[in-house]
């Protein structure tokens, strides 16, 4: 059997106040990155429909000797720590709103806000937007509509944390939408260009998100996608932005809920030396959560080491009287 593999989410580079899904076409003008720009890299791949996604935030020109400070640092540290807390909460025995509330508390500690309504999805074979979701910073209406889910063994999640120095409100920008995904809807397309485009999408990308930059004829693809979107055969991933002058940081990782604990399979190491914020987490419960190991093997080793130490302790405890 031939195993299909390839892109599960096209590479997006969203800069500064751009929240997500910025992945310009070859025909568009180049975006030149500048020193100090906050860049979010977001991408995904799959083997046989089993998906792994990742996103990381970098600051152009930053290093241990040229630290990121101020509001940029606030957003980046809040997003990093929120993603670390989420990793420790995504396991059986917990439910999705525990992650939601913890992410909000961490953002608040850095005087930032999670981007409203952003979803982290359960991953299933050939499906990037599975049934269970974790919402961040829901509005009142979203809170009423959005279900609470329990995490269960053998599930897989794409945990996506987006933190803003602004209001956390995503607005659609005038940037062209270039990332799309096929839906389960059916419709008899009228235009030949639309039919050809839809046929290529089904053969080349299946149910995975794609960028029309990947099509052979970009101009034809841009024509063909219009009717497909109008009749909901294809759904767009809108380019969302925060207010000008604000910064958004993102960390996304794929986590497997194994019987012995969560296993993070994507994500880069975070350079704590390169980022310095005046803020920190004061909540003791969250501090303890972040101090706990996210590695199931490490927890086992610690437990064994503790048991060994207790076993070797032969001296009687000393009682101190005041």
């Amino acid at each position: 059997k031939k195993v299909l593999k390839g892109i599960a989410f096209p590479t997006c580079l969203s800069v500064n106040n751009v929240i997500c899904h910025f992945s310009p076409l070859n025909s568009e003008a180049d975006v030149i990155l500048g020193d100090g720009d906050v860049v979010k890299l977001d991408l995904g791949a799959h083997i046989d429909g089993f998906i792994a996604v990742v996103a990381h935030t970098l600051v152009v020109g930053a290093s241990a000797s040229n630290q990121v400070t101020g509001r940029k640092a606030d957003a980046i540290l809040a997003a990093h720590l929120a993603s670390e807390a989420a990793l420790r909460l995504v396991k059986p025995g917990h439910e999705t709103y525990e992650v939601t509330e913890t992410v909000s508390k961490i953002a608040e500690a850095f005087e930032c806000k999670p981007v409203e309504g952003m979803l982290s999805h359960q991953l299933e074979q050939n499906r990037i937007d599975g049934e269970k979701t974790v919402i961040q910073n829901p509005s009142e209406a979203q809170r009423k509509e959005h279900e609470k889910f329990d995490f269960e063994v053998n599930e897989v999640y794409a945990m996506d944390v987006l933190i803003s120095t602004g209001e956390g409100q995503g607005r659609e920008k005038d940037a062209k939408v270039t990332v799309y995904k096929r839906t389960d809807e059916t419709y008899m397309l009228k235009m030949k260009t639309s039919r050809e485009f839809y046929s290529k999408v089904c053969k080349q990308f299946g149910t995975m998100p794609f960028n029309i930059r990947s099509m052979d004829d970009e101009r034809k693809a841009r024509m063909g996608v219009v009717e497909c979107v109008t009749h909901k055969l294809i759904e767009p991933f809108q380019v969302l932005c925060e207010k000008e002058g604000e910064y958004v940081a993102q960390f996304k990782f794929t986590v497997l809920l194994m019987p012995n604990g969560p296993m993070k399979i994507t994500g880069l190491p975070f350079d704590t030396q390169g980022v310095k914020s005046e803020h920190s987490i004061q909540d003791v419960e969250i501090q303890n959560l972040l101090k706990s190991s996210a590695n199931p093997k490490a927890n086992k080793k610690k437990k064994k080491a503790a048991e060994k130490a207790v076993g070797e302790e032969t001296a009687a405890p000393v009682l101190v009287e005041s």
Side-chain angles (χ1 to χ4, degrees):
K1 183 193 169 186
K2 188 187 173 187
V3 174
L4 293 172
K5 55 189 174 184
I7 293 168
F9 198 85
T11 303
C12 297
L13 275 90
S14 305
V15 183
N16 294 330
N17 66 311
V18 181
I19 297 168
C20 56
H21 307 148
F22 185 72
S23 188
L25 303 175
N26 294 324
S27 58
E28 292 182 79
D30 288 345
V31 176
I32 309 298
L33 296 175
D35 192 50
D37 278 349
V38 178
V39 184
K40 296 166 286 294
L41 289 133
D42 188 2
L43 55 104
H46 78 93
I47 297 174
D48 196 22
F50 292 101
I51 301 162
V53 289
V54 68
H56 196 78
T57 299
L58 299 166
V59 176
V60 178
S63 65
S65 58
N66 182 27
Q67 287 185 319
V68 181
T69 57
R71 296 301 279 149
K72 292 176 191 176
D74 294 341
I76 292 168
L77 270 173
H80 164 65
L81 292 171
S83 71
E84 287 294 317
L87 173 61
R88 289 154 173 77
L89 291 171
V90 179
K91 54 186 178 183
H94 293 267
E95 46 89 0
T96 52
Y97 267 92
E98 287 180 62
V99 179
T100 304
E101 305 307 338
T102 304
V103 168
S104 289
K105 282 177 186 175
I106 292 171
E108 200 177 309
F110 288 86
E111 295 183 4
C112 292
K113 285 197 173 173
V115 177
E116 185 182 289
M118 282 292 174
L119 297 174
S120 295
H121 286 273
Q122 181 183 2
L123 297 173
E124 297 167 12
Q125 190 177 16
N126 297 309
R127 191 178 175 193
I128 204 164
D129 52 355
E131 183 191 351
K132 293 184 179 182
T133 54
V134 181
I135 193 168
Q136 64 167 40
N137 191 16
S139 64
E140 283 306 312
Q142 287 167 343
R143 197 176 276 274
K144 283 173 188 170
E145 288 172 15
H146 190 265
E147 279 186 69
K148 189 184 281 186
F149 298 101
D150 291 318
F151 296 114
E152 292 175 42
V153 174
N154 299 326
E155 291 178 338
V156 183
Y157 286 86
M159 287 308 305
D160 195 5
V161 175
L162 289 129
I163 303 290
S164 169
T165 58
E167 295 170 7
Q169 300 280 344
R171 299 165 179 82
E172 288 179 21
K173 201 191 173 195
D174 50 6
K176 279 183 188 149
V177 175
T178 58
V179 180
Y180 296 88
K181 182 176 79 70
R182 198 182 96 198
T183 68
D184 296 329
E185 298 291 324
T186 53
Y187 176 78
M188 288 297 289
L189 293 160
K190 305 289 187 285
M191 287 170 60
K192 186 187 174 191
T193 318
S194 306
R195 291 197 297 274
E196 283 177 0
F197 170 78
Y198 187 68
S199 173
K200 278 183 184 174
V201 167
C202 294
K203 284 177 190 166
Q204 203 172 333
F205 309 109
T207 56
M208 302 296 172
F210 63 93
N211 190 317
I212 53 175
R213 187 178 56 233
S214 305
M215 304 298 270
D216 297 330
D217 190 328
E218 193 185 284
R219 191 182 62 83
K220 268 190 174 180
R222 280 165 59 184
M223 286 169 60
V225 77
V226 176
E227 190 185 2
C228 295
V229 170
T230 304
H231 296 286
K232 297 184 170 58
L233 292 181
I234 301 276
E235 64 180 8
F237 285 75
Q238 298 292 346
V239 179
L240 298 177
C241 294
E242 178 54 279
K243 278 184 183 171
E244 285 285 344
E246 302 293 354
Y247 299 102
V248 178
Q250 177 188 25
F251 291 95
K252 185 198 291 186
F253 58 87
T254 304
V255 59
L256 317 179
L257 273 59
M258 306 299 282
N260 62 337
M263 181 189 283
K264 181 180 172 183
I265 61 164
T266 63
L268 291 171
F270 181 76
D271 179 19
T272 50
Q273 300 301 311
V275 187
K276 194 174 194 304
S277 171
E278 293 175 4
H279 302 287
S280 62
I281 294 167
Q282 301 300 318
D283 186 306
V284 176
E285 199 176 323
I286 295 174
Q287 283 178 354
N288 290 336
L289 175 69
L290 290 168
K291 281 176 192 168
S292 66
S293 174
N295 183 344
K297 284 181 184 173
N299 283 334
K300 273 190 175 177
K301 281 179 187 172
K302 278 183 186 174
K303 192 180 175 186
K304 279 183 182 173
E307 284 171 356
K308 191 181 175 188
V310 169
E312 288 171 357
E313 186 66 73
T314 53
V318 179
L319 298 176
V320 180
E321 289 181 5
S322 57

